[in-house]
Amino acid sequence: MPIQDAISPAPNTSLPNRYGALCTEVYDLDKPPGALHDVGYYIDRLAGLDGPILEAACGTGRLLIPLMEAGLEVEGFDASDDMLQVCRRHCEARGLTPSLRRARFQDFAYDQAFAAVVVPVGTFTLIDDFAEALAVLRRFFDHLRPGGRLMIDLMPLAYLANETPDIRTWTADNGDLLRIEGRPVEIDFGRQRRVTHDRYERWRNGRLVESELEIMAFRLWGQKEFELALSAVGFDQVSVRGDYQAGPPRRSSRILNYEARRPAGEQRGAA
Ligand SMILES: C[S@@+](CC[C@H](N)C(=O)[O-])C[C@H]1O[C@@H](n2cnc3c(N)ncnc32)[C@H](O)[C@@H]1O
């Protein structure tokens, strides 16, 4: 095989972490605006801040919308047109007009600096490469005001080895049965990376009428490793709790909640 063919992806190769139309429909059905236990936590933690908040990878507005409804000034970006389209629709229906942009963690850029940047529900693990993730942390740092807060939630490292298939169904408003069947296809302990194939399906009257394959690539972090990464980029006041509760995480914690501060008047770290 010529080297070029070996290194460049074939034209129809699916990119990972696409969040296409069917995946978006299921996400919104499963987690409509205001769903999940993190909403009150974020409102409490962000309420006293003076200045705009950026939700990186805001998706359908599940969190962004209740934050705005609580009176916070929030804007967001996301890589998926499908997720953003649903977010815009939800916002319009509620008379909300946030600034929403299509951008990636790897290339977002704003002229203004934020009082806080938030990345809930483990989305940061979708940056599946260590060096790239550090560069994104630097980008967050650069988009925070001195004294600004970064809040990132991560699944514990144990998720790397989880081999349990994810099989769930939902019923759409029109009666369609929506189904996901997700399976890990690659677990790389060295790179702390896992890849799953999530097959989304739409069944109508017992017939499969649509399917979509989402290739999801994650990089999981050790608890201390992520604290070190935040410090290496220049953040201070790095803290971590578990399941949105005060105090350090427990062995049973399902989600780790990191918080860190861009020091007032300090330069970025060397990493
Ligand atoms: C689990 S959803 C979370 C959405 C929202 N933050 C929430 O809490 O419901 C993950 C989101 O990350 C977005 N995403 C994935 N990779 C991304 C990237 N490289 N840059 C920006 N957004 C990305 C997806 O499009 C999707 O909307």
Side-chain angles (χ1 to χ4, degrees):
M1 188 192 298
I3 287 177
Q4 196 56 34
D5 288 354
I7 58 174
S8 41
N12 68 352
T13 301
S14 292
L15 290 171
N17 307 333
R18 261 178 354 107
Y19 282 79
L22 197 49
C23 167
T24 296
E25 186 175 339
V26 167
Y27 193 91
D28 197 41
L29 204 53
D30 189 47
K31 297 182 265 294
L36 299 187
H37 296 303
D38 59 357
V39 174
Y41 164 80
Y42 273 99
I43 291 175
D44 285 352
R45 304 296 297 168
L46 297 170
L49 296 185
D50 178 25
I53 296 158
L54 177 66
E55 184 182 351
C58 61
T60 55
R62 177 199 66 81
L63 178 66
L64 178 140
I65 287 170
L67 293 184
M68 291 190 78
E69 288 176 333
L72 298 170
E73 184 187 346
V74 192
E75 49 191 278
F77 72 82
D78 198 279
S80 159
D81 280 326
D82 292 296
M83 295 289 272
L84 281 175
Q85 204 178 326
V86 171
C87 187
R88 289 198 178 95
R89 203 179 65 218
H90 284 316
C91 287
E92 268 170 37
R94 291 164 174 79
L96 301 171
T97 54
S99 155
L100 297 171
R101 293 189 190 175
R102 184 174 184 283
R104 301 173 67 236
F105 287 127
Q106 293 83 348
D107 57 21
F108 76 90
Y110 288 81
D111 292 337
Q112 64 171 327
F114 294 90
V117 173
V118 302
V119 197
V121 291
T123 302
F124 188 83
T125 63
L126 296 175
I127 305 162
D128 65 331
D129 175 77
F130 179 77
E132 209 167 83
L134 274 193
V136 173
L137 289 180
R138 274 182 228 119
R139 194 172 278 274
F140 289 152
F141 187 100
D142 291 341
H143 280 81
L144 281 166
R145 296 175 177 176
R149 297 263 148 201
L150 176 65
M151 298 175 71
I152 297 186
D153 299 330
L154 300 179
M155 293 84 90
L157 184 57
Y159 181 66
L160 179 61
N162 179 16
E163 298 204 37
T164 314
D166 178 17
I167 301 177
R168 286 175 289 160
T169 57
W170 297 261
T171 305
D173 287 346
N174 69 351
D176 286 353
L177 180 81
L178 304 181
R179 182 172 182 273
I180 182 179
E181 183 163 343
R183 291 180 185 281
V185 294
E186 193 185 321
I187 296 178
D188 180 337
F189 288 100
R191 292 168 68 198
Q192 294 166 216
R193 184 174 179 274
R194 68 183 263 132
V195 177
T196 62
H197 283 183
D198 292 351
R199 184 187 156 108
Y200 287 84
E201 299 167 342
R202 181 193 305 281
W203 293 82
R204 189 173 297 157
N205 302 323
R207 284 175 179 273
L208 179 63
V209 292
E210 188 185 352
S211 68
E212 188 176 285
L213 180 67
E214 293 281 348
I215 299 173
M216 306 295 291
F218 304 83
R219 185 186 187 279
L220 282 303
W221 293 77
Q223 184 181 315
K224 291 288 175 196
E225 178 193 21
F226 198 65
E227 290 178 43
L228 285 173
L230 289 166
S231 300
V233 166
F235 287 100
D236 72 359
Q237 296 186 358
V238 175
S239 67
V240 57
R241 55 175 79 193
D243 295 334
Y244 314 104
Q245 308 291 320
R250 300 158 186 248
R251 279 190 68 168
S252 59
S253 297
R254 294 165 64 110
I255 188 106
L256 306 181
N257 319 111
Y258 287 88
E259 211 172 310
R261 185 187 75 150
R262 175 177 173 153
E266 290 285 326
Q267 292 300 306
R268 196 169 76 191

